[in-house]
Amino acid sequence: MNVIDWQQAVYDVIKSSGISLVGYVPDAGHATLINCARDDKEIHDVVMTTEEEGIPLCAGAWLGGMRSILLMQSSGVGNCVNMLSLQRTARFPMVIIVTMRGEYAEFNPWQIPMGSTTQAVLELCNFKVERVDDETSAAETVQAAIDFAYNSNVGVAVLLSQKMLGRKKWVE
Amino acid sequence: MGGVMLDRRHVVRELLQDREDAVVVTGLGSPTYDVAAVSPSERNYYLWGAMGGAAMMGFGLALAKPDLHVIVVTGDGEALMGMGALATIGAVKPANLAILVLDNEHYGETGMQQSHLGLGVDLCAVALACGLTQACRVTTEAELQSAARNFHQTGAPKFVQVKVDPEAPPRVMPTRDAVENKITFRRALGIS
């Protein structure tokens, strides 16, 4: 399964689960999902200046009965910390798909501090965390996260491992 | 500036009295008390935290409910913390969103320290530059009445920054139970 295939499978799950809003900060690992959302007239795609905007975006959408999902890189999780209190205090359903950096063949040491603490930070903020290391389980895991969040009013994050995403090409 | 500064409760009353079925999200601190005092409704969502998130919460709601008018009432400090939201919202220009910033040029909740808006920063210009082309600044009663006439017209996002008296009226405190508020609010919109 190549990158396009499993990301397309994840997008199909997002669509079939009734998600109508995709908030994101641009990210290479999420490029296919972002392009799918942008090309889809049934989806509101919202590009944000910082990941923390996504937490109240999703909360507001849910107040209006709309399901949403957030796409971000591990570095962006740190930007969300105080805003995640909104999810916890009000028990808003929330799903975040996180592309991991700083953990496998990382070229840029600046990615390591946040990448190495992403899962712990999310768990400290009361999010349930599922990690995907195998591309064949990506779509199923995202489906489970959406079901969990919207059936049980919890926050769920799916971490896509850097090893699965593949090495970033720094020099052509 | 001269003249008498506008009273914040009066401003909120003037801008919300014709709200009809509009929904309101309040930014933490005094705006939450102001809306609770003059326009209580099951269609209000009161933030007591998540500083910097009020405009984005209103934006998400506006996308979910395009037929409803969504009003964000917040303060200058809260708006400054989420200033990037103006760019995010300006890129989409939701027709049914209005943002009211009650600008007392201070952080009222923490002891009235001066905010950037009292130090030369022009938030209305930021909103304009972000594409909120109807953004306006209000300092007088006449300007307030003019803003009130347009405030509930949908078609383009509204941004109204109102200079208000830093004097804090008595606190009127709505529920701090965010789950209860969520359930009540959604029920009022007919969402189960």
Side-chain angles (χ1 to χ4, degrees):
Chain A
M1 201 181 265
N2 64 33
V3 171
I4 304 297
D5 288 340
W6 71 256
Q7 290 214 348
Q8 184 62 52
V10 168
Y11 191 72
D12 292 344
V13 161
I14 290 171
K15 284 285 285 184
S16 65
S17 302
I19 304 287
S20 303
L21 171 61
V22 177
Y24 66 95
V25 171
D27 171 61
H30 281 309
T32 302
L33 281 182
I34 291 168
N35 288 337
C36 286
R38 286 181 56 86
D39 291 343
D40 190 337
K41 288 187 166 38
E42 295 175 351
I43 294 276
H44 294 286
D45 61 290
V46 174
V47 59
M48 307 178 297
T49 69
T50 171
E51 292 81 357
E52 74 170 312
E53 291 175 4
I55 310 305
L57 176 74
C58 292
W62 185 242
L63 279 184
M66 179 179 278
R67 289 185 174 204
S68 59
I69 201 163
L70 295 175
L71 311 177
M72 65 182 70
Q73 194 182 91
S74 47
S75 50
V77 171
N79 290 347
C80 295
V81 172
N82 180 57
M83 211 57 92
L84 290 174
S85 63
L86 182 56
Q87 185 284 320
R88 185 169 183 170
T89 311
R91 297 184 61 229
F92 279 111
M94 211 162 279
V95 182
I96 307 176
I97 307 180
V98 181
T99 50
M100 293 303 298
R101 290 289 307 271
E103 61 176 26
Y104 180 80
E106 179 60 62
F107 170 83
N108 183 353
W110 296 70
Q111 290 283 356
I112 298 170
M114 196 61 234
S116 63
T117 52
T118 295
Q119 180 157 355
V121 164
L122 285 163
E123 287 171 346
L124 281 169
C125 295
N126 217 36
F127 265 59
K128 315 297 179 188
V129 180
E130 291 289 337
R131 190 179 162 89
V132 177
D133 295 300
D134 170 11
E135 58 200 34
T136 60
S137 63
E140 164 56 25
T141 307
V142 170
Q143 180 73 71
I146 294 168
D147 293 344
F148 195 5
Y150 285 98
N151 287 330
S152 298
N153 292 320
V154 291
V156 188
V158 177
L159 310 188
L160 306 179
S161 84
Q162 189 170 11
K163 187 174 184 179
M164 182 185 85
L165 291 166
R167 297 188 183 204
K168 181 167 178 172
K169 291 187 180 66
W170 287 93
V171 186
E172 291 298 337
Chain B
M1 278 194 303
V4 180
M5 293 198 79
L6 292 166
D7 171 75
R8 54 189 306 137
R9 294 270 161 92
H10 169 68
V11 170
V12 176
R13 192 179 293 110
E14 291 300 304
L15 289 176
L16 292 188
Q17 64 184 355
D18 298 323
R19 64 182 279 187
E20 298 179 348
D21 64 353
V23 292
V24 176
V25 175
T26 69
L28 83 171
S30 296
T32 285
Y33 318 139
D34 295 333
V35 173
V38 305
S39 192
S41 167
E42 291 185 340
R43 290 171 174 250
N44 295 343
Y45 198 85
Y46 301 107
L47 290 172
W48 284 81
M51 186 166 178
M56 285 302 297
M57 196 152 179
F59 180 35
L61 187 48
L63 292 174
K65 287 296 206 185
D67 297 330
L68 271 184
H69 194 215
V70 179
I71 301 167
V72 174
V73 181
T74 192
D76 49 312
E78 205 276 347
L80 283 163
M81 192 171 282
M83 204 157 75
L86 296 176
T88 297
I89 292 166
V92 177
K93 297 183 174 57
N96 57 327
L97 179 66
I99 301 169
L100 166 61
V101 178
L102 300 165
D103 171 15
N104 64 2
E105 301 183 357
H106 291 81
Y107 291 87
E109 203 69 8
T110 55
M112 293 304 280
Q113 298 88 349
Q114 201 169 21
S115 88
H116 306 62
L117 300 197
L119 297 168
V121 174
D122 187 344
L123 190 65
C124 182
V126 173
L128 279 170
C130 286
L132 301 171
T133 56
Q134 299 194 8
C136 67
R137 189 190 303 100
V138 167
T139 58
T140 67
E141 181 66 28
E143 289 168 349
L144 177 65
Q145 294 305 323
S146 173
R149 279 192 290 278
N150 299 320
F151 195 61
H152 299 282
Q153 290 171 8
T154 55
K158 305 285 190 300
F159 180 95
V160 181
Q161 175 193 358
V162 186
K163 290 287 180 187
V164 295
D165 192 325
E167 188 69 31
R171 288 183 178 175
V172 175
M173 299 203 270
T175 182
R176 294 192 298 284
D177 187 328
V179 176
E180 178 201 22
N181 200 169
K182 175 188 70 171
I183 293 169
T184 305
F185 185 100
R186 282 166 52 90
R187 195 170 285 150
L189 298 191
I191 303 165
S192 58

